[in-house]
Amino acid sequence: MLGPDDMVGAAIAVAEEGMAVGELPIGAVVVMGGEIVGRSYTKERAAGRRLVHADLLAMIAADESLGWRKRSEPLALAVNLEPCVMCMATAMTLGVTEVYFALESPADGGTDLAQTWQASPEMPWLRAPIVTGGIRRDEARDQFRRYCASAPESSYKTWAATLVG
């Protein structure tokens, strides 16, 4: 069974894959019953689009794999960077019950959304996950530090530099 540390470690490894091909070092995995059912790194540079976040792509892969079938186990999302508001809302829609991340993203993190979400009786399936951050934070911060040291000047690099202090 994969624990939170293992899941975030897997997300960090996926982020390394992305960084190796010139992407921001952001990686995510979706886990069900100890098995990774979706994984991706951010593909903004390769796709030339904005809505290709690692966590969103990993959840799309999990959704495609699992379809409408009943989940045998709860879903968990692990990311090396706190999910943004869009990705947190997607996690809620997919039915993710737990989110684990390494490094906080103060400018756009979605933890506040999850913590203040009020479930509606009309849509009882749309619930906020339990969110735990700070798992392997130093490793994720180091990834962003290494990215900033080698990436060409860009808005991505400027934003990433805010994460490393």
Side-chain angles (χ1 to χ4, degrees):
M1 191 68 142
L2 294 175
D5 191 77
D6 301 315
M7 288 187 269
V8 172
I12 288 170
V14 174
E16 285 292 331
E17 294 172 22
M19 191 164 52
V21 296
E23 295 288 355
L24 282 163
I26 306 172
V29 297
V30 178
V31 175
M32 183 175 79
E35 177 186 346
I36 294 175
V37 294
R39 64 187 301 279
S40 188
Y41 52 80
T42 291
K43 297 181 179 175
E44 291 173 334
R45 296 184 71 108
R49 299 189 352 246
R50 294 176 187 230
L51 301 181
V52 286
H53 295 190
D55 24 6
L56 179 64
L57 295 175
M59 288 185 284
I60 289 170
D63 188 48
E64 288 173 345
S65 170
L66 299 170
W68 280 101
R69 72 181 162 108
K70 184 175 164 83
R71 310 289 195 252
S72 60
E73 301 281 340
L75 293 177
L77 170 67
V79 193
N80 69 321
L81 182 68
E82 178 183 4
C84 71
V85 172
M86 173 185 71
C87 293
M88 189 66 75
T90 301
M92 292 167 58
T93 302
L94 184 61
V96 169
T97 60
E98 296 173 308
V99 172
Y100 303 103
F101 68 86
L103 184 61
E104 293 79 6
S105 185
D108 68 344
T111 298
D112 285 346
L113 171 68
Q115 291 176 341
T116 60
W117 184 260
Q118 297 294 316
S120 168
E122 289 82 29
M123 297 188 331
W125 61 89
L126 192 59
R127 300 215 177 269
I130 296 167
V131 180
T132 306
I135 301 168
R136 300 174 82 149
R137 180 184 289 125
D138 291 341
E139 287 178 66
R141 187 173 283 131
D142 180 62
Q143 283 184 310
F144 281 96
R145 224 178 249 120
R146 288 184 288 115
Y147 171 81
C148 289
S150 63
E153 291 303 319
S154 69
S155 58
Y156 292 125
K157 181 176 179 175
T158 301
W159 171 77
T162 67
L163 300 172
V164 298

